[in-house]
Amino acid sequence: MKTIEVRTGRSYNIYIEHGIISEAGKYVRAVSDAVRAVVISDSNVAPVYARRVTDSLAGCGFETSLFVFPAGEQSKRLSTIEKMYDFFFEHDLTRSDIIVALGGGVTGDMAGFAAASYLRGIDFVQIPTTLLSQVDSSVGGKTGVDLPGGKNLVGAFWQPRAVLIDPDTLDTLPPVFFSDGMGEVIKYGCIRSSSLFEKLEKENAEDIIDDIIYECVSIKRDVVEHDERDTGERAILNFGHTFGHAIEKLGNYGGLTHGQAVAVGALMLTRITEKKGITESGSAARIEALLKKNGMPTETEFPLSDILAATRGDKKSTGRSLNFIFLSRIGECFINKLPVAEIGSFFDSE
Ligand code: MG
């Protein structure tokens, strides 16, 4: 068992342990006196894991019910949240009860947002079951839904009471979801840990997955503790994301997965900053080799001009400028604020 404490406005623990999903009740009971627990899951995850979680919760004295929504990013909208509210109301959920998010990023983001807003906020626990949600989205308290105009445009900062990470759930994950998570894993190595990056170069990710999860969560914890509300340093977690979001958008969210798009975005950006002498030479080649090793794409069909045009709609823009995260070398990065008016000339002048 590995435990990571997150000291945000309200502190909580992240537990990493094989088989912890079957003991969820014990961990939820440790942070909650609730009478009722609502488990929120999607149509892919619920048939495989929900029973284990609801049985465990019931065994620890919770009156337990299960809300299941259709799997996929298309469900990540306010109409699904409204169905959750109705479900909470029908099941007499009170402010002292608890919500358990069981699934990937979409589930955690939505269950967290429903928890943040129902009765002006009730407790929730995250049980992330994909690599991406285990290393990234379940940690840090960002919750929300998409609008037709863009992803994650409505949401709240709402920290969970605990996060239970069971690496065994990755065994049932289709390969594309593993590479989706690896995009964010490689990102952590790039921005903060040359030793993690080197480990990924030497070893097979599957063989050292517990270590990888622990290191990524630790990095995210450190960053989030310094900047819970995302007004400064937390921006470094968006390395590769400005181009990545543009690539996802240009593919109408049906092309590359989020993690794959982020990885390709990080590589494209690093090729450019390396040519400009901002990033240590050889870095882009190392990132490219690592992506290939993990079965990930290294190119996108979209020209840079289209990607730059699409970045204008990125919500990470502050006023009239966009934050770009540049690597100085593998394991070190810095935030570079580029006025929107100068983005074209900056990237065209390479
Ligand atoms: Mg991301």
Side-chain angles (χ1 to χ4, degrees), residues 86-288:
D86 290 342
F87 187 87
F88 299 160
F89 185 78
E90 282 160 20
H91 288 80
D92 293 326
L93 215 62
T94 71
R95 221 186 224 165
S96 52
D97 289 324
I98 195 154
I99 290 166
V100 177
L102 172 68
V106 169
T107 302
D109 284 7
M110 278 205 296
F113 183 59
S117 49
Y118 191 68
L119 303 179
R120 299 194 182 86
I122 68 178
D123 287 347
F124 86 116
V125 167
Q126 291 263 26
I127 308 180
T129 58
T130 62
L131 183 58
L132 186 111
S133 58
Q134 293 181 350
V135 298
D136 189 31
S137 61
S138 69
V139 182
K142 281 191 179 176
T143 71
V145 293
D146 302 337
L147 291 181
K151 289 178 70 177
N152 301 320
L153 290 180
V154 174
F157 288 98
W158 192 246
Q159 300 293 344
R161 298 304 316 274
V163 181
L164 314 182
I165 297 177
D166 188 340
D168 287 347
T169 59
L170 303 180
D171 298 342
T172 55
L173 214 55
V176 65
F177 285 102
F178 194 80
S179 86
D180 187 33
M182 282 306 294
E184 299 282 359
V185 168
I186 292 166
K187 173 198 81 178
Y188 285 113
C190 287
I191 61 171
R192 263 297 168 86
S193 176
S194 58
S195 67
L196 171 62
F197 197 95
E198 283 159 21
K199 219 183 270 180
L200 295 169
E201 289 177 317
K202 280 191 214 115
E203 317 259 358
N204 262 330
E206 286 95 340
D207 299 339
I208 53 163
I209 200 67
D210 292 26
D211 273 5
I212 289 176
I213 294 168
Y214 180 79
E215 288 196 35
C216 292
V217 170
S218 300
I219 292 170
K220 181 145 188 188
R221 183 271 312 268
D222 291 346
V223 174
V224 168
E225 277 184 357
H226 285 132
D227 181 20
E228 185 178 349
R229 293 271 162 167
D230 198 6
T231 56
E233 182 193 343
R234 191 162 174 168
I236 69 169
L237 297 172
N238 286 323
F239 173 59
H241 279 62
T242 303
F243 282 4
H245 286 152
I247 293 165
E248 284 182 275
K249 195 189 222 177
L250 291 169
N252 291 316
Y253 300 98
L256 298 184
T257 66
H258 174 72
Q260 289 174 335
V262 164
V264 173
L267 176 57
M268 284 182 75
L269 183 66
T270 304
R271 281 183 186 137
I272 296 168
T273 54
E274 192 175 308
K275 270 189 199 158
K276 284 174 169 290
I278 296 166
T279 306
E280 186 175 74
S281 72
S283 303
R286 288 178 69 193
I287 296 172
E288 184 170 346

